[in-house]
Amino acid sequence: MAAGTPMSLVEGAVVPALRPVGHDRAQQVREAAFTALARWMGHDAPSTSPAAAAAAGEGDGAGVGAQAAPRDARAYVPSLLPLLLIGVSDPQPGTAELALRLVEGVGAAWAAAEDAASASTSAEAGGAAAEELALRVAACSLGAPYGGRPGDGARRMVRALLTEQLPPLVKGLSEWTAGLRVAAARGLHTSLVLAEDGAAAHLKQLLPALCR
């Protein structure tokens, strides 16, 4: 997908076409899709998967994870990020780990671009409150594929987008078919892990959906 692709085309054609690919039976196909999604959202990093490397087009000019994403790449994040978040709960450990690295790379690029646009560094607030939150997250024992607390950029990105990302995920929990409900649950789980305490502001929306 070329830079500058109209959002109407992304939302009307690209997203519907790629949504099933995240559940494809072939692991290499899923990894290639997740790598391509991350690239379109401004993250460009080497991959250990041949299929993912082919999708990323390695060798045609490389950036690195924390490089600021171009403005047009950031515009695609709200539409494409849910498709990538599905990969973090992939049943294949290697694919899940790849997807998490890609989400963190996209988040680093997103955060760098946000900071550059505001000419400031808006990393998480320091002090006792931040330390306490970090300890609480560590105590949760997130398990695989999380080797620890996810990257700051990914957490900032998901918190910033949570208001618009939650409604379709919550609605998906009530879908008629089990496959769609599972997909929504997987996306919601990863979103809540990354949002951390940012989800607290949405409890009125979350609790009824989770208690059904």
Side-chain angles (χ1 to χ4, degrees), residues 178-199:
L180 293 175
R181 294 197 300 273
V182 169
R186 287 173 57 186
L188 181 60
H189 176 271
T190 304
S191 296
L192 294 181
V193 167
L194 293 171
E196 296 184 343
D197 60 338

Side-chain angles (χ1 to χ4, degrees), residues 27-112:
Q27 181 180 4
Q28 289 187 332
V29 171
R30 299 196 303 273
E31 291 183 355
F34 297 144
T35 303
L37 285 165
R39 183 179 179 85
W40 295 337
M41 288 186 281
H43 173 56
D44 199 0
S47 170
T48 56
S49 164
E58 289 180 1
D60 61 350
V64 292
Q67 181 178 352
R71 179 174 296 274
D72 54 1
R74 277 187 295 154
Y76 301 140
V77 172
S79 298
L80 299 181
L81 182 61
L83 304 181
L84 179 56
L85 292 180
I86 285 288
V88 180
S89 57
D90 193 275
Q92 292 295 327
T95 302
E97 291 167 5
L98 170 65
L100 179 58
R101 291 196 303 270
L102 293 172
V103 169
E104 291 183 322
V106 171
W110 181 93

Side-chain angles (χ1 to χ4, degrees), residues 110-152:
W110 181 93
E114 289 291 307
D115 291 341
S118 61
S120 66
T121 301
S122 53
E124 288 183 324
E131 292 178 5
E132 180 184 356
L133 175 59
L135 290 173
R136 293 205 310 268
V137 171
C140 289
S141 299
L142 295 173
Y146 304 97
R149 193 180 186 190
D152 173 70

